[in-house]
Amino acid sequence: MNKKIAPSILSANFAKLGEEISSVEKAGADFIHVDVMDGHFVPNITIGPPVVKSIKKVATKPLDVHLMIQNPEKYIPDFLDAGADIISVHPESTPHIQRALSMIRKGGAKAAVALNPATPLYALDHIWDDIDMVLLMTVNPGFGGQSFIPEMVNKIQTLRKKIDRTNEKIWIEIDGGVNVDNIGQLASYGVDIFVAGSAIFGAPPYSDVIATMKKKISI
Ligand code: DX5
Ligand code: ZN
């Protein structure tokens, strides 16, 4: 797969979300990354299924829905109904990660596991067959605009090797602190999808920043 850019709408202007989504799509976004936070798993509250449903009506690119919520199994059916194309769940948020992943796939979406920075890669050891993507958090989840945690470089490289040995179809997505200055280097570690919130929505025009990012990841 060619490397992709997934703008995170967490840093968009929520008062004109539809326009913001159309703008980043026109500017070259490959996915729309939607951060769902519940104020329990992470110390912030964002949006739920009704907003995802509204977004689905305007978006032309796939919705990459990142669940940062406790008890995700309870809400996965609602996000599937709302039109999520990829759903990421954190194993730190549920004792039943395999169940959550199979619910997502049965519902027709791509299933992804999201790992907090301190969660070891062996959390993936018994679920390789159940996943389409691994989302590596490169900041602690909860907020946009934080700095990339340098220790995550080694984690990305190790995951790349593991996937090359195990199942080459699994995508690697990184999320947090990605910007025009570090994206080229990060691409060289074998990342497939780059989430970027503040680096895109905080630096209009979006077409310029996404074009710069795409140039740097086309290696
Ligand atoms: C953080 C979210 C990210 C966030 C990234 O919990 O999962 O998707 O929007 O924001 P930036 O790109 O600003 O670090
Ligand atoms: Zn995210």
Side-chain angles (χ1 to χ4, degrees), residues 8 33 35 66 68 135 137 175 195:
S8 161
H33 185 83
D35 288 304
H66 178 192
M68 287 161 276
L135 186 171
M137 288 306 306
D175 185 2
V195 176

Side-chain angles (χ1 to χ4, degrees), residues 11-200:
S11 294
N13 180 346
F14 275 33
K16 47 171 193 168
L17 199 46
E19 283 171 49
E20 292 273 72
I21 288 168
S22 301
S23 301
V24 286
E25 287 185 344
K26 271 192 213 111
D30 300 293
F31 296 96
I32 301 298
H33 185 83
V34 182
D35 288 304
V36 176
M37 305 187 187
D38 66 350
H40 292 279
F41 179 62
V42 288
N44 195 5
I45 301 177
T46 56
I47 60 171
V51 176
V52 175
K53 200 170 195 164
S54 302
I55 292 172
K56 187 69 182 174
K57 289 182 188 142
V58 298
T60 59
K61 297 294 178 182
L63 298 186
D64 171 28
V65 176
H66 178 192
L67 298 185
M68 287 161 276
I69 60 176
Q70 269 167 11
N71 197 5
E73 301 93 295
K74 188 173 169 195
Y75 299 98
I76 284 168
D78 295 338
F79 286 103
L80 288 166
D81 284 350
D85 297 282
I86 305 171
I87 300 181
S88 299
V89 281
H90 279 261
E92 308 91 345
S93 72
T94 172
H96 307 295
I97 188 71
Q98 200 281 338
R99 176 181 290 153
L101 294 165
S102 68
M103 284 172 77
I104 295 167
R105 275 199 176 160
K106 275 191 196 128
K110 289 203 182 293
V113 172
L115 301 181
N116 281 342
T119 301
L121 291 174
Y122 64 71
L124 303 167
D125 274 358
H126 307 286
I127 48 176
W128 286 111
D129 292 343
D130 303 298
I131 55 182
D132 300 296
M133 181 175 94
V134 179
L135 186 171
L136 287 186
M137 288 306 306
T138 42
V139 298
N140 287 295
F143 303 96
Q146 304 178 80
S147 299
F148 181 92
I149 299 171
E151 233 179 296
M152 295 303 106
V153 166
N154 186 260
K155 195 175 184 184
I156 297 167
Q157 291 171 317
T158 307
L159 177 62
R160 182 73 267 163
K161 283 187 207 135
K162 264 179 187 272
I163 288 179
D164 290 346
R165 279 199 305 264
T166 324
N167 179 349
E168 285 176 14
K169 287 191 191 121
I170 296 173
W171 301 333
I172 299 179
E173 179 174 65
I174 61 168
D175 185 2
V178 174
N179 56 46
V180 288
D181 297 324
N182 61 15
I183 197 166
Q185 186 68 36
L186 294 168
S188 73
Y189 306 137
V191 173
D192 300 299
I193 306 171
F194 299 85
V195 176
S198 53
I200 294 174

